[in-house]
Amino acid sequence: MGTINTGKVIVGGLVAGVVINISEFILYMAVLGRDMEAAITRMNLSPIGGMANATFVVSGFVLGIAVIWLYAAIRPRFGPGPRTALCAGAAVWLFAYLYPTVGMVAMGMFSAGSMAVALVWGLVELLVAAAAGAALYKE
């Protein structure tokens, strides 16, 4: 069993992070922008600004690195390639997207319809990000 190539995890993770950040920008600005603004207003929160946006971008890159690290970690068991990348992407989606989103809907923070769109979008986003980043990973 080989060791994880940390440099390639970071490179692949940054590529995955670019995919995630572009996708999230499109989702929350163009697709769900009005719904998010309405929810923020309803909860009496300040509009999302610079620090929050910076946090989201950094988190997108961290998530990208995490999905490629998971790909590298499961690669010896599942084999290299897109199928393993999709497994890693789906696992990260389950923990990073599905679980917290269900909680936010259960607490009434966001509508089930908006969050269903976000969940499906996020699944596709993470699968594409994982495949793109994993394509650059070599041990």
Side-chain angles (χ1 to χ4, degrees), residues 16-101:
V18 167
V19 172
I20 291 167
N21 281 314
I22 290 171
S23 177
E24 290 289 300
F25 178 81
I26 293 167
L27 174 64
Y28 288 106
M29 294 306 290
V31 178
L32 295 178
R34 288 185 184 155
D35 292 344
M36 292 298 108
E37 284 180 23
I40 288 168
T41 301
R42 182 178 44 77
M43 290 184 277
N44 200 27
L45 299 172
S46 300
I48 294 174
M51 189 57 155
N53 286 331
T55 301
F56 294 139
V57 169
V58 169
S59 296
F61 284 113
V62 169
L63 193 61
I65 292 168
V67 75
I68 302 308
W69 175 85
L70 181 59
Y71 168 76
I74 67 174
R75 190 174 180 227
R77 180 174 297 271
F78 293 104
R83 184 170 161 230
T84 301
L86 297 178
C87 288
V92 170
W93 174 83
L94 180 72
F95 298 121
Y97 286 52
L98 181 63
Y99 181 76
T101 301

Side-chain angles (χ1 to χ4, degrees), residues 3-24:
T3 60
I4 291 177
N5 184 337
T6 305
K8 293 292 185 177
V9 166
I10 292 171
V11 169
L14 292 175
V15 168
V18 167
V19 172
I20 291 167
N21 281 314
I22 290 171
S23 177
E24 290 289 300

